[in-house]
Amino acid sequence: MTTTPRQSRSRRLGPTLVLAFCALAVTLTALQLNYLSDDHLSYSLRSQHVPLNAQQVLNRCASLRAVPGPPTNFAAREESDRFEPGTNATLIQNARLWTGAYNGTEVLYGDIILDRGLIKEINTEGDRMRTSLASLRGHLNIVDAKGAWVTPGLVDLDSHLGIMSLPLLSGDLYDNQTGAFDLNSPNGPVLPSLRSVDALSTHDEAFQLAIAGGVTSAQILPGSANVIAGQAFMVKLRKTSERSASSMLLEPPPGLNGSAAHADSPRWRHLKQAAGENVMAYGTRMDTMWSYRAAYHEARKAKGLQDAFCEKAEAGLWESIGNFDFPEDFKYEMLVDVLRGKVKVSNHVNEIVDIDSLVRLSNEFEFPIASIHHAAEAYLVPDLLKRMWGGTPAVALLATNYRYKREAYRGSEFAPRVLVDNNVSVVMKSGHPATNGRYLMFEAQQAHYYGLPPPLALSSVTSAPAHAAGVGHRIGRLAEGHDADIVLWDSHPLQIGATPAKVWIDGIVQIPVPPKTGQSDSPVKVGVGKEDAKWNRVPSVPNWDEEREKAVEWEGLPPLGSKGSKGIQDKVIFTSVADVWVKSAEGVVQAKVSGQEGLGVVVVEDGTIVCSGTSLSCTPANAEGDYTFVDLDGGSISPGLMTFGSSLGIEEIQSEPSTGNGMLTNPLLTNLPKIFGDVGGVFKAMDALQFGTRNALIAYRSGVTAGTVSLRQDTMSSGSIISGLSTTFRTGAAHGMDRGAIVQNVAALHVTLARPPPLSGHARKSSVSVSEQFGTLRRLLWGFEPKETQTGLWFSKAMEGQIPLVIEVHNADIMSSLLKLKAETEERWGTTIRMVFSGATEAHLLAQEINRAGVGVILSPLRPHPTTWDQRRILAGPPLSNDTALIVLIENGVTVAIGVNEAWQAQSARLDLAWASIESNGRIDQQKAYSLATTNLEKLLGIVNSPDDATDLVAYRGGSLFDLSSKVVAVLSPARGAVDVL
Ligand SMILES: *[C@@H]1O[C@H](CO)[C@@H](O)[C@H](O)[C@H]1NC(C)=O
Ligand SMILES: *[C@@H]1O[C@H](CO)[C@@H](O)[C@H](O)[C@H]1NC(C)=O
Ligand SMILES: *[C@@H]1O[C@H](CO)[C@@H](O)[C@H](O)[C@H]1NC(C)=O
């Protein structure tokens, strides 16, 4: 076995001895001889001149060996270093406490006392309280949890809160790939000295939003566009009385603010590194690894100089050291600390090739990597992960955020379970604002749905990330002496839509938000409609063993298409069916299937239901041989959902141009080629359709049987304002000529109206003013383009109301100008425009006016995010506001549907519907929620279902589409004349 120089030296020179030595450094005498037995070291000792700074030097040398972590007496602390004077104590009674102990399996029932920023006592049922209430600080707040769940505050291991502050404003920074929003520096691939705290804006609106989701701490990582992007910091999300970025830091390393290093209790430092696609601004994968190796080579040299220096100093060989200054290396000191094992490295990496390179790197330079992030392919190589130097890293994942780039193409929703089955620690994270950091728990909920056991799903957003960041001694668990970061939930936290009723950070209440001076204290209702005991239980979830094994066997690309003759069936009998939902004029309505114990059978021939009822009344004679039987185990059959808003159906991998349709030319910036014969460039999505994309097939297997797609481009990229004509297709069709592949060739005409994107340089170069966009739209709607052209033809159809005009718009001011344009146009031409706003983040501000104008709204995303200035006035929903945009619009009579922005999100459509219903505090029932992705969406997009092309139905086993217990097992398609048994 080989040992590192550090190990061998520390064996020779125990810390106690070193300390003793330091204290007596100036009067070196015989003491040295006691322990310096090596002849070759001791020969010149007696004759050395000892410098005046010897003690400092020796302290510094001793500090090199100090292992980061809490001081030994940390557990005995009586007050948090983050305690804010004046904070009252809190007693939470009758709570169901998920503590995080015993690998997340411990649940206690009892009371918890918060005092001086700490968890003072956890008092379980029946025990006598040890704390005297009189000893607590200030006034005692008493909260009766009434049996509700309490967890530690959530910890987000990957967040850009503060350094990508919302709403996004560029600060006039560089807008190329390497530098934007204080996220990454454009100044080179290796920048270990940069520090995210130097860019931490305390005004980011997302801090409070994240707290509203129960997130109390986050690791603020620089972005992933540099190989070594800089130092990360752990922060608590609450506003401090000092209001500074520094005061938000959790256990900042000593020396951050220029103070000297603490030898006795150094803190963990944090570093962000990246490998793979994101750093390609600086070269290829080969360049990346060379950047790492060149940098760590320098760091190793610097470390070697320090070690040699200290070896001599500690041996008392002062004269041979020379000028006595400890050889600091200001540029590489962070990497030297990495080599000394004092840094929790977070490494962005996805593909096996890059993971393998990192494993080699860590072994070559002998440093550990605490966590790997995104890590789309980590689940395929658990044994490789275990070869990482210094131990297996935690794997920090998103639940379903895959396939948007090559690196993430093989990612799997089953990865968390595969990894924990291989004893790898799994962390679920947000990458905020890559996904909305408020919904960190939703990542854990989805991981749980796809197989991660409940204790580990809860650990994955609490104790596992806290441990991976080296702060597990104070956050991420409920334990006496830990920080008082607490969430009281309105349901079991793994239930979809679980919402914090109360949140404390450092014992200070954050949710409900204390009203500011002059604000009325109007309480927000949380948890209405969740009175039933089932909400307080862990949701049961389906078995995914087969899918999970296949995902691994096929290296992330399991076949998703129909099983062919094995799957496509003419005659099917579904048994144990609880209900069948059907479309009606009112939307989607639920009808119980009566049979034994409330469950019946449904007989399907050629894709159409021919009988539903009791087994006796429906089952044909000789059914055994002729029919395929599918047991739904109390499940449902209900209309398939439609997805809208993303590029699902016209591209396979978002960031790979060769897998998509390509960019439309922007007619407001360039003259379109003459050969188009069309000044606006109105083109048809139907010509660009692709079938069998993985996003479409996964959506199909998740109950989304149809998609409507336009030629829309990402709004951040200043594409054409005209997104062409949308088309509606079946997600499960094999190709464009497949029976029933196309539901409707042309659905609606689409345009986008937005302010310039926040990347300023880019915006100046390639965007068009709002007024010019309006002028263009008015001119086109008023028929000033000849009808012989596509632009003239389709805009006149839109003006006449023959086709819906779907306008992607987020900002309420632009919406009100659009409502005026609509009225002006209709008055002038005597027509009615079928106008629809999609995106529509701020639509609630104009709900009444939108309704009065007969305009429909497609909210996408459902859960709002103030990403840009246009989107900043969100209605956040419980626990920040009683209303959501959805509720306000529905209650004002607006026809509302929901959409998504990115193709991978289509998979979660049914969870969105469940969320919409649950979050409404009982104001939106399941039937109304169902219509958001079916009848309402079809109506708004102008989809006309002809009777012989009726909707596909989806069979769910183990529950309805609203239940986490269910999964899709078959699709019934009258149009395709068969049942697809999956
Ligand atoms: C502590 O409680 C007292 C009494 O209710 C109250 O006046 C005071 O504002 C509270 N302090 C804080 C910081 O909330
Ligand atoms: C937690 O899980 C690990 C890995 O499965 C196991 O080694 C350890 O004993 C468990 N700890 C407790 C306290 O159950
Ligand atoms: C990004 O922009 C900066 C400033 O304009 C420039 O120096 C740098 O080379 C650019 N980087 C890339 C990768 O284009």
Side-chain angles (χ1 to χ4, degrees):
M1 201 186 105
T2 57
T3 53
T4 62
R6 192 184 67 167
Q7 285 169 331
S8 54
R9 207 188 42 247
S10 52
R11 212 176 295 130
R12 205 164 56 225
L13 220 79
T16 327
L17 266 178
V18 172
L19 283 175
F21 179 57
C22 294
L24 297 169
V26 189
T27 52
L28 281 174
T29 52
L31 179 60
Q32 293 171 27
L33 300 174
N34 291 343
Y35 70 89
L36 287 170
S37 54
D38 289 5
D39 289 343
H40 68 285
L41 286 178
S42 55
Y43 69 98
S44 61
L45 274 181
R46 260 161 288 225
S47 62
Q48 296 289 315
H49 167 75
V50 176
L52 288 173
N53 68 344
Q55 183 165 343
Q56 269 166 296
V57 168
L58 292 169
N59 283 348
R60 182 77 180 91
C61 289
S63 78
L64 303 183
R65 284 185 297 272
V67 181
T72 44
N73 59 352
F74 186 78
R77 68 188 174 145
E78 300 249 297
E79 182 173 295
S80 171
D81 53 348
R82 302 183 48 81
F83 176 63
E84 297 255 9
T87 306
N88 289 320
T90 300
L91 166 64
I92 307 168
Q93 295 175 316
N94 306 315
R96 217 171 287 273
L97 304 163
W98 181 86
T99 66
Y102 304 102
N103 291 333
T105 58
E106 184 181 69
V107 174
L108 304 175
Y109 191 90
D111 309 336
I112 181 165
I113 300 173
L114 317 181
D115 185 37
R116 301 177 205 205
L118 302 180
I119 298 176
K120 172 86 176 162
E121 179 174 340
I122 294 176
N123 180 265
T124 51
E125 222 172 353
D127 289 350
R128 175 196 290 267
M129 198 174 285
R130 283 165 281 129
T131 306
S132 128
L133 294 184
S135 73
L136 300 175
R137 262 310 146 89
H139 171 79
L140 178 67
N141 299 317
I142 299 182
V143 175
D144 187 355
K146 298 182 179 147
W149 284 93
V150 164
T151 68
L154 311 186
V155 181
D156 196 344
L157 196 63
D158 175 10
S159 176
H160 305 306
L161 275 166
I163 61 173
M164 234 182 141
S165 189
L166 301 189
L168 292 176
L169 295 168
S170 70
D172 220 24
L173 268 163
Y174 302 126
D175 62 353
N176 57 23
Q177 214 191 331
T178 53
F181 308 119
D182 280 331
L183 185 65
N184 281 100
S185 165
N187 295 325
V190 175
L191 301 163
S193 322
L194 305 194
R195 309 186 292 192
S196 66
V197 64
D198 294 333
L200 189 76
S201 164
T202 54
H203 298 306
D204 190 338
E205 297 189 2
F207 282 119
Q208 186 174 71
L209 294 170
I211 294 171
V215 184
T216 54
S217 305
Q219 176 171 227
I220 310 303
L221 294 171
S224 50
N226 307 94
V227 176
I228 299 178
Q231 299 166 29
F233 290 84
M234 290 299 296
V235 302
K236 293 235 192 157
L237 307 193
R238 73 173 168 87
K239 278 217 187 297
T240 63
S241 53
E242 186 180 291
R243 298 203 168 107
S244 65
S246 298
S247 59
M248 295 176 78
L249 299 178
L250 177 66
E251 296 203 346
L256 179 71
N257 293 317
S259 58
H262 269 241
D264 51 345
S265 66
R267 307 302 201 185
W268 284 105
R269 304 178 74 188
H270 301 89
L271 180 69
K272 171 67 181 286
Q273 303 192 143
E277 280 181 30
N278 289 21
V279 287
M280 288 212 170
Y282 294 111
T284 64
R285 290 186 154 77
M286 296 184 285
D287 291 291
T288 297
M289 292 320 295
W290 172 241
S291 293
Y292 276 125
R293 295 181 63 232
Y296 277 108
H297 177 69
E298 292 304 319
R300 189 159 60 181
K301 278 200 295 195
K303 175 174 177 287
L305 286 178
Q306 294 175 357
D307 290 347
F309 176 93
C310 286
E311 197 147 334
K312 286 179 181 154
E314 287 171 345
L317 302 174
W318 296 103
E319 272 165 22
S320 69
I321 291 173
N323 69 5
F324 307 130
D325 276 342
F326 180 81
E328 300 285 2
D329 187 318
F330 207 48
K331 183 165 175 199
Y332 289 105
E333 63 85 23
M334 183 65 180
L335 300 189
V336 173
D337 263 5
V338 172
L339 297 180
R340 294 193 186 283
K342 293 169 181 252
V343 180
K344 296 290 186 185
V345 176
S346 289
N347 224 122
H348 171 110
V349 63
N350 273 298
E351 286 185 273
I352 292 173
V353 57
D354 299 316
I355 297 173
D356 188 49
S357 298
L358 283 185
V359 169
R360 273 187 276 107
L361 180 77
S362 82
N363 282 288
E364 179 180 355
F365 292 93
E366 302 189 333
F367 69 87
I369 291 178
S371 53
I372 60 172
H373 288 250
H374 292 274
E377 296 186 4
Y379 73 107
L380 298 173
V381 287
D383 293 336
L384 176 60
L385 298 180
K386 289 174 189 166
R387 288 205 282 105
M388 197 75 87
W389 195 88
T392 314
V395 177
L397 300 166
L398 285 152
T400 55
N401 178 224
Y402 296 117
R403 298 176 295 282
Y404 58 97
K405 57 179 179 171
R406 173 191 127 176
E407 289 188 330
Y409 193 52
R410 292 167 186 265
S412 171
E413 57 274 56
F414 306 113
R417 171 63 181 272
V418 174
L419 286 164
V420 299
D421 282 352
N422 282 281
N423 292 319
V424 177
S425 170
V426 165
V427 170
M428 300 309 293
K429 58 153 193 175
S430 77
H432 174 90
T435 71
N436 185 342
R438 178 177 175 187
Y439 301 113
L440 180 60
M441 188 51 96
F442 184 46
E443 298 300 315
Q445 290 160 1
Q446 293 173 90
H448 171 238
Y449 176 64
Y450 290 112
L452 187 62
L456 297 178
L458 291 173
S459 304
S460 76
V461 288
T462 51
S463 55
H467 177 76
V471 287
H473 56 279
R474 61 185 295 175
I475 61 170
R477 289 197 292 125
L478 297 181
E480 291 177 1
H482 279 224
D483 289 17
D485 299 349
I486 309 283
V487 185
L488 170 65
W489 297 89
D490 71 343
S491 68
H492 189 282
L494 292 176
Q495 293 279 3
I496 292 296
T499 301
K502 289 190 191 292
V503 177
W504 291 263
I505 301 180
D506 300 320
I508 305 169
V509 72
Q510 308 291 312
I511 298 291
V513 180
K516 290 198 176 71
T517 312
Q519 254 180 349
S520 65
D521 186 4
S522 49
V524 175
K525 287 197 198 107
V526 174
V528 179
K530 297 186 188 175
E531 295 77 12
D532 192 303
K534 74 169 185 181
W535 289 102
N536 241 2
R537 289 196 285 267
V538 183
S540 60
V541 295
N543 181 310
W544 300 99
D545 289 353
E546 198 185 315
E547 290 86 348
R548 189 172 65 247
E549 279 155 25
K550 264 185 160 171
V552 174
E553 184 186 358
W554 289 79
E555 299 195 356
L557 302 178
L560 299 170
S562 149
K563 286 184 192 155
S565 57
K566 269 194 284 173
I568 303 290
Q569 304 292 337
D570 301 338
K571 295 181 167 184
V572 178
I573 297 178
F574 293 98
T575 60
S576 301
V577 186
D579 47 26
V580 173
W581 302 58
V582 291
K583 284 183 187 171
S584 78
E586 296 82 52
V588 178
V589 294
Q590 180 185 19
K592 295 271 174 220
V593 179
S594 53
Q596 282 157 355
E597 293 167 7
L599 302 177
V601 304
V602 171
V603 181
V604 181
E605 289 175 5
D606 299 330
T608 303
I609 295 179
V610 294
C611 182
S612 67
T614 62
S615 170
L616 203 62
S617 64
C618 276
T619 312
N622 304 326
E624 286 299 333
D626 284 1
Y627 287 76
T628 302
F629 284 79
V630 179
D631 182 353
L632 290 193
D633 190 18
S636 299
I637 296 176
S638 58
L641 308 178
M642 180 159 72
T643 186
F644 168 74
S646 74
S647 306
L648 187 120
I650 60 168
E651 74 185 9
E652 174 81 44
I653 304 175
Q654 192 185 349
S655 74
E656 289 292 338
S658 67
T659 72
N661 180 45
M663 285 280 273
L664 292 185
T665 314
N666 188 343
L668 297 187
L669 290 172
T670 336
N671 285 330
L672 297 190
K674 229 179 171 154
I675 196 167
F676 287 1
D678 189 31
V679 65
V682 173
F683 294 103
K684 294 181 176 172
M686 62 177 268
D687 297 328
L689 275 181
Q690 301 186 38
F691 287 84
T693 65
R694 296 193 71 79
N695 281 318
L697 294 176
I698 288 170
Y700 178 71
R701 288 169 171 268
S702 311
V704 179
T705 54
T708 297
V709 63
S710 73
L711 298 170
R712 163 194 189 264
Q713 281 142 3
D714 185 357
T715 43
M716 297 288 264
S717 66
S718 299
S720 172
I721 70 159
I722 300 174
S723 318
L725 299 163
S726 55
T727 189
T728 304
F729 63 99
R730 281 198 165 70
T731 51
H735 54 74
M737 316 281 271
D738 203 0
R739 189 173 162 192
I742 307 291
V743 177
Q744 189 164 311
N745 281 324
V746 172
L749 175 63
H750 297 258
V751 300
T752 301
L753 256 72
R755 290 176 210 289
L759 299 170
S760 60
H762 188 84
R764 257 177 243 126
K765 270 181 282 171
S766 65
S767 73
V768 185
S769 69
V770 173
S771 50
E772 287 164 315
Q773 296 172 43
F774 259 101
T776 306
L777 185 60
R778 179 180 287 114
R779 180 178 169 277
L780 295 179
L781 282 176
W782 287 11
F784 296 158
E785 209 42 58
K787 282 194 191 170
E788 290 70 46
T789 69
Q790 292 294 303
T791 302
L793 175 70
W794 291 103
F795 275 90
S796 72
K797 281 183 193 259
M799 192 267 275
E800 286 160 11
Q802 291 177 36
I803 184 171
L805 178 65
V806 180
I807 303 172
E808 181 168 334
V809 55
H810 287 283
N811 178 268
D813 296 307
I814 301 182
M815 287 181 207
S816 72
S817 297
L818 281 167
L819 296 182
K820 288 180 197 160
L821 173 63
K822 179 174 188 285
E824 189 187 356
T825 307
E826 290 174 348
E827 195 182 9
R828 184 177 171 127
W829 304 98
T831 59
T832 304
I833 302 176
R834 290 155 69 192
M835 191 177 278
V836 175
F837 296 154
S838 74
T841 305
E842 295 189 349
H844 55 277
L845 297 174
L846 286 175
Q848 249 180 32
E849 292 75 11
I850 288 173
N851 176 51
R852 218 174 289 135
V855 171
V857 169
I858 304 173
L859 283 176
S860 35
L862 169 68
R863 292 176 290 281
H865 201 215
T867 316
T868 62
W869 190 255
D870 265 359
Q871 295 165 290
R872 74 190 186 286
R873 293 172 291 184
I874 65 167
L875 192 48
L880 296 176
S881 66
N882 278 314
D883 288 336
T884 62
L886 182 65
I887 292 171
V888 171
L889 291 165
I890 289 180
E891 292 191 344
N892 277 282
V894 179
T895 302
V896 193
I898 60 170
V900 294
N901 292 325
E902 295 186 40
W904 58 270
Q905 294 167 324
Q907 172 179 14
S908 306
R910 47 179 294 221
L911 302 182
D912 285 346
L913 295 188
W915 195 299
S917 165
I918 293 163
E919 194 188 37
S920 73
N921 279 341
R923 291 195 273 169
I924 299 175
D925 63 19
Q926 292 187 343
Q927 305 192 4
K928 211 173 260 172
Y930 212 130
S931 67
L932 300 173
T934 54
T935 47
N936 282 11
L937 189 55
E938 288 162 14
K939 185 171 155 198
L940 294 177
L941 292 171
I943 316 302
V944 197
N945 270 314
S946 62
D948 54 343
D949 189 31
T951 316
D952 293 342
L953 296 168
V954 177
Y956 296 88
R957 175 180 293 147
S960 83
L961 116 165
F962 290 98
D963 301 319
L964 275 178
S965 56
S966 73
K967 83 195 253 195
V968 173
V969 292
V971 176
L972 298 62
S973 181
R976 298 167 76 189
V979 174
D980 189 358
V981 181
L982 299 169

